[in-house]
């Protein structure tokens, strides 16, 4: 019995019922992560790349209080156009949004929750939330980390931006038992750049081995997800000096303006984009395509394993 608040798109439901590969996608990256119309173009292209690599895409969102696993192109356009006027929905927002019949853009956390309700195991995105710099006093730690600890969905991302404290983010994931895998690398990628100076737990080099590791985690009866960090392709990676200067300036302005809570991450992302012009947006789009492809191949391998 599926959850009474859940609507699974027929194409997605058919794939799940027949053991075919499905990849979940989040909607906060559309509404809060990129400007219109690039957000809509990117979301549609990501779905195309997933199909091209043999899986069915399921973009996840909350519309009129319904948890949607799979959106139509019209619904993706609606989210892209409404942008930041749509509520950014984390775990704590779900109940009230559903009770009131409102819309919500799903973060990594809520996309994992809804994917799991629908029976989807693999999820591709750009970056995850984590432990913010200064968290030792602000206690700003993304709910994404708790969800990775609890919910059995593999998240394929490009590592984490250094708007976060990457060292503390890794410590937190270790404490909560979340495996952090580098795809073809021993180093944690830092979203816009391929290196961070921090090590991942394991390097894995094929979608087949990723699928096997994740399947084994389920068969062992271990709870929680797995974090796959896939470095941005070399030709789209940014100059670390340029991007780190922009991030430092964004954090300075964030503190100066007293931004906190759920507004922090969207503020930092928008500032970094503003300070680096179109370059960071292009990198961001390319790394999402790269993650979509890997997630589709891994979902396929998972179904065949
Ligand atoms: N980091 C990015 N891009 C994003 C996000 C984070 O590089 O789009 C979004 C994701 O939806 C993520 C959310 O789940 O921000 C985390 O927000 P918070 O830090 O408030 O938990
Ligand atoms: Mn936060």
């Amino acid at each position: 019995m599926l959850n009474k608040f859940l609507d699974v798109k027929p194409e997605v439901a058919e794939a799940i019922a027949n053991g075919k590969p499905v990849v979940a996608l989040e909607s906060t990256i559309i509404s809060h992560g990129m400007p219109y119309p690039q957000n809509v173009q990117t979301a549609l292209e990501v779905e195309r790349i997933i199909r091209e690599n043999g899986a069915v895409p399921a973009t996840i969102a909350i519309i009129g209080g319904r948890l949607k696993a799979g959106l139509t192109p019209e619904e993706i356009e609606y989210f892209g156009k409404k942008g930041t006027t749509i509520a950014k929905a984390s775990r704590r927002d779900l109940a009230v949004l559903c009770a009131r019949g409102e819309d919500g853009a799903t973060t990594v956390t809520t996309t994992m929750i809804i994917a799991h309700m629908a029976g989807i195991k693999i999820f591709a995105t750009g970056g995850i939330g984590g432990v913010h710099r200064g968290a030792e006093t602000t206690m700003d730690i993304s709910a994404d980390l708790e969800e990775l600890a609890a919910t059995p969905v593999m998240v394929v991302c490009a590592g984490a931006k250094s708007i976060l404290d990457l060292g503390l983010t890794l410590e937190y994931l270790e404490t909560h038992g979340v495996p952090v895998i580098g795809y073809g690398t021993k180093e944690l990628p830092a979203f816009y750049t391929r290196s961070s100076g921090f090590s991942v737990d394991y390097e894995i080099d094929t979608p087949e081995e990723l699928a096997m590791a994740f399947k084994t985690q389920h068969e062992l009866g271990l709870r929680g997800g797995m974090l796959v960090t896939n470095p941005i392709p070399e030709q789209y990676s940014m100059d670390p000096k340029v991007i780190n200067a922009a991030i430092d300036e964004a954090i300075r302005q964030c503190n100066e303006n007293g931004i906190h809570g759920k507004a922090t991450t969207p503020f930092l992302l928008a500032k970094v984009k503003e300070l680096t012009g179109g370059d960071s947006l292009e990198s961001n789009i390319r790394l999402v395509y790269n993650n979509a492809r890997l997630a589709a191949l891994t979902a396929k391998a998972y179904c065949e394993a």
Side-chain angles (χ1 to χ4, degrees):
M1 239 298 270
L2 290 178
N3 192 286
K4 71 181 249 196
F5 292 97
L6 179 66
D7 291 334
V8 183
K9 192 180 171 188
E11 181 197 12
V12 173
E14 190 272 331
I16 294 167
N18 293 300
K20 289 194 247 164
V22 177
V23 174
L25 299 158
E26 62 158 302
S27 45
T28 293
I29 193 175
I30 306 175
S31 58
H32 293 66
M34 291 181 194
Y36 181 81
Q38 287 95 334
N39 55 0
V40 172
Q41 288 159 6
T42 303
L44 295 174
E45 176 64 9
V46 164
E47 290 210 343
R48 195 196 61 74
I49 290 169
I50 287 169
R51 289 182 203 285
E52 183 182 81
N53 287 282
V56 173
T59 301
I60 288 179
I62 304 160
I63 301 182
R66 303 293 304 168
L67 309 178
K68 298 280 183 187
L71 298 187
T72 63
E74 294 71 31
E75 288 167 332
I76 288 176
E77 173 76 22
Y78 169 78
F79 263 77
K81 260 205 175 126
K82 285 200 90 177
T84 54
T85 63
I86 290 186
K88 175 180 155 194
S90 191
R91 176 177 270 274
R92 59 101 185 258
D93 304 290
L94 273 188
V96 174
L97 289 176
C98 286
R100 287 183 173 168
E102 290 181 5
D103 294 339
T106 54
T107 62
V108 168
T109 296
T110 38
T111 303
M112 288 179 77
I113 294 172
I114 297 168
H116 180 53
M117 281 180 185
I120 304 168
K121 298 188 173 64
I122 318 279
F123 161 23
T125 188
I128 59 156
V131 181
H132 279 266
R133 295 202 211 163
E136 56 280 16
T137 50
T138 63
M139 289 182 72
D140 190 349
I141 299 172
S142 175
D144 292 354
L145 301 184
E146 288 293 324
E147 210 58 50
L148 278 162
T151 302
V153 172
M154 176 191 281
V155 178
V156 180
C157 69
K161 292 194 178 84
S162 47
I163 59 171
L164 302 173
D165 187 317
L166 300 183
L168 292 187
T169 300
L170 288 174
E171 292 291 352
Y172 199 94
L173 289 167
E174 181 192 348
T175 299
H176 292 273
V178 179
V180 179
I181 311 295
Y183 185 68
T185 180
K186 291 184 168 46
E187 200 179 342
L188 178 75
F191 197 88
Y192 295 116
T193 57
R194 292 171 63 86
S195 64
S196 65
F198 292 95
S199 298
V200 293
D201 301 329
Y202 296 96
E203 174 180 347
I204 290 184
D205 299 328
T206 64
E208 290 70 26
E209 203 198 335
L210 284 178
M212 193 48 76
F214 192 47
K215 190 160 238 177
T216 303
Q217 181 166 311
H218 297 153
E219 289 171 351
L220 283 166
L222 295 171
R223 70 185 197 123
M226 182 173 274
L227 187 65
V228 176
T229 63
N230 186 25
I232 185 171
E234 187 79 60
Q235 68 268 39
Y236 303 116
S237 71
M238 294 186 70
D239 179 347
K241 278 215 270 317
V242 171
I243 194 67
N244 289 331
I247 286 171
D248 289 344
E249 174 60 16
I251 289 175
R252 201 190 58 74
Q253 290 189 31
C254 188
N255 293 335
E256 193 178 276
N257 290 299
I259 309 287
H260 60 92
K262 71 197 284 186
T264 301
T265 297
F267 178 91
L268 291 172
L269 297 179
K271 266 297 161 220
V272 168
K273 228 160 284 161
E274 187 187 306
L275 293 165
T276 53
D279 289 0
S280 66
L281 181 58
E282 175 68 9
S283 295
N284 197 344
I285 291 170
R286 294 296 174 166
L287 66 84
V288 176
Y289 294 167
N290 192 45
N291 296 343
R293 183 176 164 279
L294 178 59
L297 296 176
T298 304
K300 231 169 77 181
Y302 191 95
C303 289
E304 288 159 8

